[in-house]
Amino acid sequence: MRRLLMLGLALVLLAGCGDDGSDAGGGGGEERAALTGPLTYERGGGIAGRRDRLIVQPDGNAELTVRERTKSIRLEDAELDQIGRDLEAADIAAVPPNSTSKQPVPDTFGYRVAYDGTTVTTDDAAMPDKLGGLVTGLGALVERYE
Amino acid sequence: MLRTRLSSSAGQVGAEYLGGLLLVAVIVAALIGAQVHTTIAVEAERAICKITGSSGCGEPGVPEAEASDDDEPGEPDREVHDAECDNDLPGDLVRDEGDDPSGDPEADAAYDNLGQVFDYYSETFGRDSYDDSGADLIASINFCRTPGTPMRNAYWDGTQMVFGEGYASSLDITAHELTHAVTENTAGLEYQCQSGALNESMSDIFASNVDTNDWEIGEDLPGGAIRDMENPENGDPPQPAHVDDFNTMPNDGNPYNDHGGVHYNSGIPNHAYYLMVRSIGRDAAEAIVYRALTEELDENSNFEDFRTASLAVARRLWGEDSPEYRHTDASFAAVGLDGTWEAPEVEGC
C-alpha cells in the first residue's frame, strides 16, 4: 500500500514538470517567437491566377490585398504566434533565395516571403520542405480573411 | 617445330580475328540497314499522315513517351492515386485501369473525368493520350502541399495531374490540366507573357469543348467558377476580353505577377474562341484551334500568331471564301486582333 502511495506521488510530481514554457502548442504566458519587423507574403498563380499579398506587422495589424482590393485586418494572437514559429522553422536566411522550377510549371502557385532583409521565392513544384509550413500557413490566413 | 607451331598458331589466331571482324561487319551492316529502313518507313508514314490531314503525325528525332504494356490505341490507361493530404506523389493507387469503382466518390470521379477527356481527344482528333502515343494518365487526388492542410488548386507537373481536395471531380478542370500536357507535347507554348496566356487559353478552350454545358471554367470547384469565356470580365479574377485592356503586369520573377499575367490575358483568345463557336459552330472551331496548336504554333507564338495560324487552318480546310474563314477572321477582329495589333511593352516579355 505504501509503495502504491509513493508511486502515485511520484507520478503527480512528474506530471507537474511537463510545462517549461516552451510548448509550441499555445497557452497563455509562454515565450513567443515574435516578429521583430514587418513580414510580406505574396502568392500568385494557381489555376485561378490569384494575386494575394499579406503584410503583417509585429503588433498583429495586417494589410491584405486580394483581387486588387486592399483591406486592413487584425490577426489573433495565436495566429501571430504561429507565424513566428513557422518563420523560425523555415529559417529563411538559410534557404536559397530563389528555389523555383527551372521552367514555370502550369497552374502551380508561386510564393515570395520577405522578412528582416531576406527574401525567398519558391513554387509548389520546387519548394524546400522547410518553407512548406510558413507559406501554407500564410496562405490559409489569406483564405480566412479574404 | 616450335616455329611452325607458332606460325600455325598465329595463322589460326589471324583467321579467327578476320572471322570476328567479318561477323562484326555483318552485324553492323544489318543494324544500319534496319535503321535506314526504319527511318524510311517512319518518314513515309509521317508523309502519308500529313497528306491525309491527320493530326499528331509525330516529329523526327522526338522520342515518344513510353506507353504501358497493356495499352491499346484509343483506350485510356488511367491510374488514380490518393495522396491522403500528404505531399508524397503519387500516393496510394486507389483505382487502376479496368478496376471496379473504388467507392471513393472523388477517386471515381477523377477516373471517369480522365476517361472523358481521353475520349474527347481520341474521338475528335484521333489523338492517343496527351502525347499521341498512349501515355498513361496519372492523377493524384487529395494532395496537400503541407501535410494536413488541403490545397485549393490543381496542376499538371510535367508527368501527372495533381489535384487538391474537391478539384478532381470537376470535369473542365481535369480537361484544363490534361490540355496543358497536350500543349507541352505539341506547340510547347512557353509559360510566360503572351505565349503563356495562349497556353492557358488552350487549356480553357479544350476544357470548354469537353464540358459544353456552359462557358464557365471551374463552376464545380469548391469556390465556384474562376473564368467565363463568354464574359471574361466576370471571371475571378476578372479578365480582359479585348486587346485594348491587355494586362501589362511584368514577367519579373515575382510570382505575384503570374509570369506576365498568363491567367489574365488568356481572356482575350478565350473570348475570340467563344465568338468562333457562336459563328461557325464548335466542330469547325475546335478543328481549327486543334490544328493551330498541333501544326502551326510554336513555343514563342503570340496572340497575332494564333490568329494567323487559325486563318491558315481555316483557309486550308475550307478556303478563303468560306464562312469558316470569314467568321474566324471576324472573331479575332472583335477582340482587337486584326493582323496589325502590337502589344504594349511589358517588362520581361
Side-chain angles (χ1 to χ4, degrees):
Chain A
M1 185 62 182
R2 181 186 285 180
R3 278 186 180 174
L4 275 176
L5 284 172
M6 291 295 285
L7 183 61
L9 182 62
L11 285 172
V12 169
L13 288 172
L14 281 172
C17 294
D19 188 359
D20 63 359
S22 63
D23 178 13
E30 68 194 35
E31 191 178 331
R32 288 178 173 176
L35 297 182
T36 57
L39 175 145
T40 300
Y41 165 81
E42 291 173 308
R43 176 174 67 176
I47 190 170
R50 292 187 67 114
R51 302 183 85 206
D52 306 322
R53 178 182 286 135
L54 177 65
I55 303 173
V56 181
Q57 302 297 335
D59 63 1
N61 287 314
E63 191 177 270
L64 176 63
T65 304
V66 175
R67 298 180 184 86
E68 312 300 324
R69 288 191 292 273
T70 302
K71 65 180 178 181
S72 296
I73 60 173
R74 177 158 183 85
L75 302 183
E76 295 173 3
D77 286 349
E79 292 168 335
L80 201 57
D81 292 346
Q82 187 63 49
I83 293 173
R85 286 191 293 273
D86 288 342
L87 199 52
E88 269 193 358
D91 192 13
I92 62 172
V95 171
N98 197 18
S99 301
T100 55
S101 306
K102 284 180 183 171
Q103 297 293 329
V105 179
D107 294 337
T108 51
F109 279 119
Y111 310 89
R112 178 169 285 185
V113 178
Y115 177 72
D116 194 25
T118 299
T119 300
V120 291
T121 305
T122 188
D123 61 49
D124 282 324
M127 190 186 300
D129 286 342
K130 288 174 78 171
L131 290 179
L134 180 64
V135 299
T136 303
L138 290 165
L141 288 177
V142 170
E143 286 153 20
R144 180 186 170 192
Y145 287 101
E146 69 177 306
Chain B
M1 182 68 177
L2 181 62
R3 193 175 173 179
T4 309
R5 199 178 288 166
L6 280 173
S7 173
S8 167
S9 175
Q12 193 176 342
V13 169
E16 284 174 1
Y17 180 70
L18 279 173
L21 274 179
L22 194 61
L23 183 63
V24 169
V26 167
I27 292 170
V28 168
L31 286 172
I32 290 171
Q35 179 63 39
V36 168
H37 282 107
T38 304
T39 306
I40 290 169
V42 166
E43 285 302 321
E45 193 178 358
R46 276 192 77 239
I48 292 166
C49 184
K50 293 275 186 188
I51 289 165
T52 56
S54 298
S55 57
C57 297
E59 294 299 328
V62 178
E64 295 183 344
E66 194 173 329
S68 65
D69 294 339
D70 54 353
D71 183 42
E72 295 290 333
E75 296 294 328
D77 202 337
R78 294 161 281 187
E79 287 180 22
V80 178
H81 300 254
D82 190 343
E84 297 179 329
C85 205
D86 207 332
N87 57 16
D88 285 334
L89 289 172
D92 294 336
L93 180 64
V94 289
R95 191 167 175 193
D96 205 350
E97 186 61 44
D99 286 353
D100 290 333
S102 68
D104 177 340
E106 179 96 353
D108 291 330
Y111 183 89
D112 292 342
N113 288 340
L114 289 173
Q116 281 199 57
V117 181
F118 179 96
D119 288 346
Y120 166 77
Y121 276 107
S122 175
E123 291 165 9
T124 313
F125 308 115
R127 188 173 189 85
D128 187 13
S129 193
Y130 60 82
D131 63 346
D132 204 16
S133 294
D136 293 356
L137 303 178
I138 302 170
S140 295
I141 62 171
N142 297 320
F143 177 79
C144 290
R145 177 54 252 174
T146 297
T149 304
M151 178 185 78
R152 292 169 60 174
N153 197 23
Y155 60 89
W156 162 256
D157 78 352
T159 58
Q160 67 155 96
M161 281 151 284
V162 183
F163 296 101
E165 182 183 348
Y167 279 68
S169 52
S170 175
L171 176 60
D172 56 9
I173 295 301
T174 304
H176 177 102
E177 294 309 330
L178 200 47
T179 300
H180 277 308
V182 174
T183 298
E184 183 181 297
N185 280 270
T186 53
L189 291 160
E190 279 196 15
Y191 202 68
Q192 58 181 0
C193 307
Q194 281 189 64
S195 58
L198 266 185
N199 190 321
E200 272 301 318
S201 181
M202 291 297 160
S203 281
D204 284 348
I205 284 171
F206 288 101
S208 77
N209 291 335
V210 174
D211 178 4
T212 56
N213 291 331
D214 53 59
W215 287 98
E216 290 183 329
I217 302 295
E219 68 278 8
D220 298 325
L221 291 177
I226 52 177
R227 283 184 283 280
D228 183 339
M229 297 171 70
E230 181 178 4
N231 300 296
E233 64 276 11
N234 290 345
D236 181 16
Q239 294 183 294
H242 193 280
V243 294
D244 286 351
D245 301 314
F246 186 83
N247 194 307
T248 57
M249 63 178 72
N251 179 35
D252 59 358
N254 185 345
Y256 189 66
N257 293 321
D258 192 30
H259 306 295
V262 298
H263 289 94
Y264 292 79
N265 290 322
S266 57
I268 297 166
N270 275 5
H271 193 58
Y273 184 72
Y274 160 78
L275 295 171
M276 283 172 67
V277 172
R278 290 291 301 268
S279 56
I280 60 175
R282 195 178 296 275
D283 288 352
E286 68 189 356
I288 289 171
V289 175
Y290 181 76
R291 281 169 173 76
L293 175 66
T294 59
E295 297 171 12
E296 303 286 335
L297 300 176
D298 64 31
E299 65 270 25
N300 296 314
S301 294
N302 59 29
F303 288 2
E304 284 287 8
D305 294 332
F306 180 36
R307 170 188 173 274
T308 302
S310 298
L311 289 175
V313 174
R315 184 187 302 114
R316 199 158 68 231
L317 294 178
W318 294 284
E320 282 194 22
D321 293 331
S322 65
E324 287 83 358
Y325 182 93
R326 283 186 280 107
H327 286 301
T328 298
D329 195 17
S331 298
F332 279 97
V335 301
L337 294 167
D338 59 0
T340 65
W341 180 65
E342 289 184 16
E345 287 284 321
V346 178
E347 180 189 342
C349 290

